[in-house]
Structures are given as structure tokens and as C-alpha cells.
Amino acid sequence: MPRGGRAAGDTARGREAVAGAMPAPSPGPREVLASSPEAGSRAAAAGSSSRGLLWHLQDKRLRLGLFEIDPGHELHQMTCMMQAGLWAATQVSMDHPPTGPPTEEDFSQVLTQVHEGFELGTLAGPAFARLRRSLGLADEDYQAALGPGGPYLQFLSTSKSKASFFLSHDQRFFLKTQRRREVQVLLAHLPRYVQHLQRHPHSLLARLLGVHSLRVAQGKKKYFIIMQSVFFPAGRISERYDIKGCEVSRWVDPAPEGSPIVQVLKDLNFEGKTINLGPQRSWFLRQMELDTAFLRELNMTDYSLLVAFQQLHEDEKGLGSSLIFRTVRSVRGIQSPEESGAQNRRLLPDAPNALHIVDGPEQRYFLGLVDLVTVYGLHKRLEHLCGTLCCLGRTFSPVSPACYARRLCQWAEAHTE
């Protein structure tokens, strides 16, 4: 039998509800046939060979500081399963694209596909397929980047969590393992998240593109999310930061000068630096207010503002008012200036990942809010109490959603000009 999997309706659980997330749909399972990822791998390999030696040399150069998850890596088997499963899962949305207006079922559907030795679940597949389409992301490109066409990449993370982090081989998509509870929270708020992006199409919130589960043999399910990488394209990025607007445990020992290691620094490493946005500053501060207010309403805390620097070339400077800039496709249909102002739209650079790119007079900045599923519950309240007792006079991460939102906006205002 091909490793691509059997017909999901014959061998899988079809649609199920994730406990605590959304109500279970009433219709029965839909039968779909998962295509073979081996066929996709051969197609990707053929396309890759046609690009020639120059492309491969450039690809290797852009991967400096990242590590391929090759056959000797401890996570190689798991990532191969993820690639095969995602290829087949994306094929489902290509063969059966969602039609008509969005429904509640789009947000509660779970499709489980059985492969040789593992199962891959796709949660809220139609809702994410619609979201990808609204961003102008073709399923064929999504499938090619996340499927078995090339190894996933790993970087040295400074995160305290036990999550695993990966990048697609083209560095366009970011994958992160999540706890079951975090996935439940994400799915419960997914309709409001989609609505927020519709109201504010230039939001700084990371674009979530998929949520999946992976079960090997009869083991425990592992969950992971896929999102658009904020730091893409990464070839010329010089510095990367993860900002929470606090001081405690927010320093990372920098890598030696000239080191190829891709390192994400923190708040205290940012001291003395400024984000010079020029006329874009007012847009950025307003969008920070809108996005953090949304997260506050969801009772979220402990999220991060990602910031990266890239020096503009001379011929790239001063293009902010020229015709090379455009508005994003996702805001079509907005007619009046009043609606445009309410949405806080801006002119976007004609570049990949334009929603997370803001050009200042001298620098290009990559900006995005990530880690959006930490609820201010009992655990975080206890962390806040401990921080209050142990970190007198210093700011720390676990605070109430209102304080957290206000503090991060104050950081943005103090570090921009």
C-alpha cells in the first residue's frame, strides 16, 4: 500500500470534535482520498534539479546558522511523518475546497488520515483553507513547502518552553509543537481571530495557517501549529529579537561576532536601540493598540513582539510613496476612506511577507505578534504572585492581560521614532 495513506473515510475517524473547543458537527464523515507524498517528493525533486547549481548554492547560503533535520537527527522520523501527512492533508483542501459562506462546522471539523505507522489529524481544516486563500497563499505552494520536497530546518531556540520549533525548507513557514490545552484555546477563539483579521487586514498578529495532531502507532497525540514566519525572507536579516516588555530573564548571551548561529535576542539585549519607522510610526503604534486590545479581550498574556532588522540598499530607500507599493489583496471590497481608516490600513511593500514588513528611512523591519494562546489562568496568576514577591522593583512576564497589553504598547512607543 502507498505510504500516502488510505481513504480517510474508510480507515480514519473522519470528523471529531476537540474536547472543550467547539461543538461536534452533526453531519457524518466525508470520504476523501489522500494522495501519495512520494509522488509529490518526486515532483519536487524534479523541479529542484531543473533550477540548477546556482539555486542550490544560494539556498545553502541562506540557510547559514540553521540545521537541516537530516537522517541522523533525533527528530528526523517525526518530521518525515509531518511532511507526508501535511502533503496528503493539503491535497484534501485542494480536491475539496470550501465553498459558500463560512459555517460553524468549518471551525469544528477534524479530519484524521491514517498512514503507514502514524495518523495525522487536521483541525478546522476548511477554516484555515479559507484563511490561506484570503492571504493569497496557493495550496500548491503551501503543499510544496511543507511536503517532502526538502528537509525541515531547526534553529537554536532561546525559549524556555519544551516545544519543538521547525522551519520549512524555504524558511517561509514556521512549525511549533503545542500542548493539547493550548490547541483547545486556539480553536475556541479561532472564529474571533479570523474576524479580527477581516476587520484589520494589516494586523501584526501572526498568520496561523493550520493546526494538526500527529499520533505515531498507538502513542499519545502530539499537536503542532503552522504559521507564516515573521522573519521571511531571512537572507539579509542582521538582528532578531523576542520582546515582552519586561526585564526578568530577558537577556541572552550573544553569539560571538561572525558566528553563523541564528539567534533570537531579548529585551535587555535591545537596550540602546531604536526602531526608526519615520511616517509609519503612527500606524504601528495604532496597530499595536488594536491587536493587544483584542488579545486582552481574549484574556491572553505572555505573547511576544518579534522584531528583526535588515539594512536597506540605497536603491530601496525612499520607496514608501512610490508606485512600487500596493495594498494587500485581502482588503478588496472596502470602499470608503472611513472604513479604510477604521481598519488602520497602510501601504504595503511589494515584497514577500509584506504584512510583517515595515520600511523605515534606513532599515527594513520585520514585526509580528506571536505565541497567542497563553491564558491568564491559575498557573499564570501564581507566577505573577511569585514574581511580585521575588522580583521587587523589576518587571517580569506573568501579569494580567490588561497590564501586559499596556506594557508592551508602552515599550513600542518608547523604542520607536
Side-chain angles (χ1 to χ4, degrees):
M1 187 185 107
R3 195 177 166 208
R6 299 185 287 271
D10 296 333
T11 60
R13 294 166 180 79
R15 294 171 182 163
E16 345 176 298
V18 176
M22 299 288 293
S26 55
R30 177 180 55 150
E31 293 190 4
V32 295
L33 184 64
S35 64
S36 166
E38 277 76 10
S41 183
R42 288 193 296 270
S48 176
S49 62
S50 66
R51 289 175 240 179
L53 178 62
L54 181 62
W55 182 88
H56 286 290
L57 290 175
Q58 182 187 40
D59 187 49
K60 287 292 185 183
R61 179 180 63 82
L62 294 178
R63 290 183 182 186
L64 282 175
L66 297 171
F67 306 93
E68 290 187 356
I69 301 180
D70 56 27
H73 196 288
E74 62 179 347
L75 297 176
H76 180 255
Q77 183 181 17
M78 184 179 82
T79 57
C80 285
M81 292 176 181
M82 291 167 69
Q83 289 181 314
L86 289 173
W87 179 278
T90 308
Q91 191 64 44
V92 171
S93 65
M94 293 165 65
D95 294 339
H96 305 276
T99 57
T103 66
E104 183 176 312
E105 186 183 342
D106 291 344
F107 294 92
S108 61
Q109 183 191 105
V110 177
L111 175 68
T112 302
Q113 292 171 290
V114 177
H115 298 256
E116 185 178 338
F118 72 96
E119 299 173 0
L120 188 114
T122 300
L123 291 71
F128 283 111
R130 291 179 189 277
L131 181 55
R132 295 195 298 268
R133 185 187 302 172
S134 75
L135 297 171
L137 175 57
D139 277 334
E140 292 82 0
D141 294 338
Y142 187 70
Q143 186 185 58
L146 293 167
Y152 285 168
L153 308 175
Q154 190 177 36
F155 59 92
L156 298 178
S157 171
T158 56
S159 171
K160 289 184 175 181
S161 74
K162 296 180 180 179
S164 297
F165 303 87
F166 311 109
L167 286 169
S168 58
H169 64 86
D170 60 359
Q171 303 184 49
R172 187 177 178 185
F173 302 114
F174 181 85
L175 301 91
K176 178 185 178 182
T177 59
Q178 302 272 188
R179 294 191 294 266
R180 181 171 178 267
R181 173 58 183 160
E182 292 171 331
V183 168
Q184 291 175 339
V185 169
L186 189 157
L187 293 177
H189 294 313
L190 184 58
R192 293 184 65 182
Y193 167 82
V194 171
Q195 187 179 55
H196 180 77
L197 295 185
Q198 291 171 341
R199 289 176 176 171
H200 305 289
H202 296 175
S203 168
L204 292 162
L205 299 183
R207 294 322 192 258
L208 297 169
L209 305 175
V211 178
H212 299 271
S213 65
L214 178 71
R215 187 203 298 269
V216 180
Q218 298 300 313
K220 186 178 179 180
K221 280 185 181 179
K222 295 182 179 180
Y223 293 90
F224 65 95
I225 64 170
I226 304 169
M227 69 181 201
Q228 216 163 264
S229 175
V230 174
F231 298 150
F232 176 82
R236 289 163 48 199
I237 289 178
S238 58
E239 302 170 59
R240 298 167 174 81
Y241 296 89
D242 177 310
I243 301 297
K244 292 183 181 289
C246 61
E247 301 168 307
V248 175
S249 300
R250 300 303 295 166
W251 168 265
V252 174
D253 290 329
E257 189 173 348
S259 169
I261 292 176
V262 174
Q263 191 173 36
V264 180
L265 304 175
K266 297 186 178 181
D267 299 64
L268 295 179
N269 301 96
F270 200 90
E271 285 188 0
K273 298 183 182 295
T274 302
I275 303 172
N276 184 2
L277 297 176
Q280 302 257 41
R281 180 176 185 263
S282 59
W283 169 85
F284 172 66
L285 295 180
R286 176 58 180 155
Q287 195 58 55
M288 283 290 294
E289 290 176 358
L290 291 168
D291 289 334
T292 57
F294 168 70
L295 295 172
R296 182 185 68 232
E297 290 171 4
L298 298 185
N299 201 35
M300 297 298 170
T301 187
D302 210 25
Y303 42 90
S304 295
L305 172 66
L306 295 186
V307 180
F309 291 75
Q310 174 184 305
Q311 188 69 32
L312 290 173
H313 290 157
E314 286 301 320
D315 60 353
E316 296 172 321
K317 296 177 182 178
L319 295 177
S321 59
S322 75
L323 293 178
I324 200 170
F325 276 59
R326 59 173 172 79
T327 52
V328 74
R329 285 182 294 248
S330 62
V331 301
R332 285 179 298 185
I334 302 303
Q335 301 295 327
S336 69
E338 290 77 12
E339 287 178 295
S340 176
Q343 289 191 326
N344 196 41
R345 289 189 291 161
R346 64 183 174 102
L347 294 175
L348 299 177
D350 190 14
N353 200 28
L355 290 170
H356 288 301
I357 290 176
V358 184
D359 283 349
E362 300 288 331
Q363 299 256 20
R364 168 165 286 180
Y365 301 97
F366 296 77
L367 303 163
L369 291 165
V370 300
D371 296 337
L372 311 177
V373 293
T374 303
V375 176
Y376 191 63
L378 178 61
H379 179 71
K380 283 297 173 184
R381 292 174 189 273
L382 290 174
E383 282 189 28
H384 173 73
L385 178 61
C386 291
T388 302
L389 296 174
C390 301
C391 305
L392 296 177
R394 302 177 69 198
T395 54
F396 49 89
S397 183
V399 294
S400 71
C403 290
Y404 197 91
R406 182 171 59 252
R407 188 176 70 189
L408 198 55
C409 286
Q410 289 172 345
W411 186 98
E413 186 165 4
H415 292 83
T416 56
E417 60 182 28

